[in-house]
Each structure stands twice: as structure tokens, then as C-alpha cells.
Amino acid sequence: MPELRRIPVNGVELNVALAGSGPAVLLLHGFPHTWELWTDIMADLSDRYRVIAPDLRGFGASSPAAAGYDAGALAEDAAALLTELGVPSAAVVGIDAGTPAAFLLALRHPGLVRRLVVMESVLGGLPGAEDFLAGGPPWWFGFHTAAPGLAETVLEGHEAAYIDWFLHTGTLGDGVPPAIRDAFVHAYTGSDALIRAFSYYRALPESAQQIAQAVTTARLTMPTMALGAHPVGSALEHQLRPVTDDLTGHVIEDCGHIIPLHRPHALLKLLNPFLAGEDAIAA
């Protein structure tokens, strides 16, 4: 089992799962997840790497935060976390809400990010996702942001059913292990937890501005891999292609949005050789 530690960064305490030793790998989850999203991935990688998997600020067992849910703030949390742990650089892996943070971390602090893996997200502020967004963004983006307080008021008392919908849909109906499902439901139960979760969505316009500004002065220079499944597919790869020097893209077939839980072995089949390219440098 990973070690759980509380680590202060930027005025909050992050709940961080740590396992293994070796070159560092930082894992950034999305919604509606916690660090447990990475359970199978950590079990494999910790044989060769020092794996670091925080609950993002305000999520899971990390301390509540009144602000700082934009991608730039989450990126700075990640940078501060690595500093607090004495990690000079890491391979960074992000999914969903963790992807914009991982992207900005790599652009703003290229010396901290040896390799970058991003998956199942589109980046506001970058072109290239027009086909994916042709019918508009997913419905829950509007629900979470349209009227302050509405979504959390409607959902309070019904959180389990709501989270179960995402877990069912995000695995093409297969679902996730009961213990992980229960951890996710617990993490997003209560109006305060929902407000914090939806704050990420409410910060998306600010995050898009941060991304659009960042790519005017920087590019991704480290080896980068973009992974898609259902529903994002290759949209993220198309967005990254013009701003990345060394990009590999894959779409995992018969896989839902929650790649690390739905198809962990397929993910590891791509992730392990990509990360292994750094071992000689990092050792």
C-alpha cells in the first residue's frame, strides 16, 4: 500500500500517496477522482519509480481551498509539491482536470518535467479540438457552471448516483472496483465537496486564458505522449501537435474515459516503454 502524507504547498495541505523509489513520476487525477484512480498504475510503476499521486487541492483528503482551481494554480501546486519532496524533476502524467495543470507545469517549469503524458482532456485556449466540440462541450460542463450554487444544491443527497453515472459511463458500463467507487463517492459527498469540485469547471475560462498566453512564449520541448480513448479520441493530440517538439499519440481502443481504471494494462503497455526512455538519464 502507498504511504499517505500531508504536504503543505501554497497555503493548502495536499494528501499525497507515495510509493517506490527511483526516478520520480507525478500522477495528476481529474473529476470525479482522487489519487486512488492510479491504484493499479502505482502498483506497477512503484517497482521502478518513486510514484507521487496527490489529491488535487480541495479534492479528496486534501484540505479545502476557497480559490486556486485554475490550471495555473494547480500547476504551481504540483511544482511546489515536487520541491517540498526534494524532487528535482519528474515524469508527469495527467488525465482530465489534471491534464491542463500538467501542460502548464511543463510549459512554465520545463526543468521540472522530464517527460509528459496527458490523456482524455481537451485544452481550452488551444485550437484543434473543433471536431470533438462540434456539438458543444459535454453537458455537465454547463450544468456545473451555468448558475452558481445550482448544481451542488440539486445534487446534495444524490451524490452517489451522480458519481456512479460518471464511473459507469467512463468505463463503457464496466464500472470500477467497489472500494475505489466508495472512495470517490465519499470524496464528493456534501455541498462543500461539490462546490470545490465544480470550482475547477468554473475556472475553465481563466485556465484557457493561461494556456493561450503560455503558448505564445513557450513550447513543449520534452518528449510528450497524448493518449485518448472514448470520448476524446485523438483531439488532444491534434491540439498539442503545433506546440510540441516531440509528440507521440495513441488512442486506446475499447476503452472509456477513465483509462487508468478501465484499461490499466493497455495504459501500462504504452506508459512503461515511454517512461523507460528516461531511465538512463535519470539514474
Side-chain angles (χ1 to χ4, degrees):
M1 288 291 294
E3 173 195 5
L4 294 178
R5 290 174 55 188
R6 298 191 69 80
I7 299 176
V9 302
N10 298 334
V12 298
E13 282 192 344
L14 299 184
N15 178 57
V16 184
L18 300 161
S21 61
V25 179
L26 175 66
L27 306 174
L28 302 177
H29 68 80
F31 171 85
H33 317 138
T34 65
W35 73 264
E36 284 104 327
L37 171 77
W38 306 106
T39 298
D40 293 333
I41 305 306
M42 291 187 77
D44 184 279
L45 294 184
S46 61
D47 288 342
R48 302 170 300 286
Y49 299 100
R50 183 185 187 189
V51 188
I52 305 163
D55 286 337
L56 301 182
R57 71 160 52 210
F59 290 77
S62 290
S63 63
Y69 294 95
D70 56 279
L74 297 177
E76 295 309 316
D77 283 354
L81 174 60
L82 293 177
T83 299
E84 287 291 327
L85 291 172
V87 174
S89 66
V92 178
V93 183
I95 187 171
D96 191 75
T99 284
F103 178 75
L104 281 180
L105 176 66
L107 282 181
R108 292 178 173 182
H109 303 280
L112 277 179
V113 181
R114 290 195 304 269
R115 291 188 170 236
L116 177 66
V117 181
V118 284
M119 61 185 100
E120 275 299 288
S121 179
V122 294
L123 295 169
L126 289 186
E130 291 81 8
D131 288 347
F132 173 70
L133 296 172
W139 63 265
W140 55 91
F141 281 59
F143 177 53
H144 293 170
T145 62
L150 174 62
E152 45 269 47
T153 299
V154 169
L155 291 172
E156 189 172 10
H158 305 282
E159 297 92 340
Y162 194 60
I163 299 306
D164 281 340
W165 184 88
F166 284 97
L167 302 183
H168 180 84
T169 304
T171 56
L172 306 183
D174 290 343
V176 304
I180 293 176
R181 177 264 182 193
D182 291 346
F184 291 172
V185 169
H186 175 75
Y188 292 91
T189 292
S191 61
D192 289 344
L194 292 172
I195 288 169
R196 295 192 296 271
F198 301 155
S199 292
Y200 164 78
Y201 291 89
R202 292 163 185 165
L204 285 174
E206 182 180 358
S207 299
Q209 291 177 354
Q210 293 166 343
I211 290 168
Q213 177 60 37
V215 296
T216 64
T217 58
R219 294 176 56 82
L220 292 177
T221 56
M222 67 289 297
T224 299
M225 183 163 64
L227 301 179
H230 177 81
V232 177
S234 60
L236 180 59
E237 178 188 352
H238 293 158
Q239 287 189 295
L240 292 179
R241 185 71 59 189
V243 298
T244 308
D245 290 343
D246 181 359
L247 178 64
T248 302
H250 299 278
V251 174
I252 300 176
E253 300 297 331
D254 191 30
C255 181
H257 175 69
I258 313 175
I259 297 173
L261 287 174
H262 192 208
R263 296 287 183 256
H265 299 299
L267 175 56
L268 287 165
K269 188 175 180 180
L270 297 169
L271 196 56
N272 275 318
F274 183 78
L275 296 179
E278 75 180 3
D279 286 352
I281 298 173

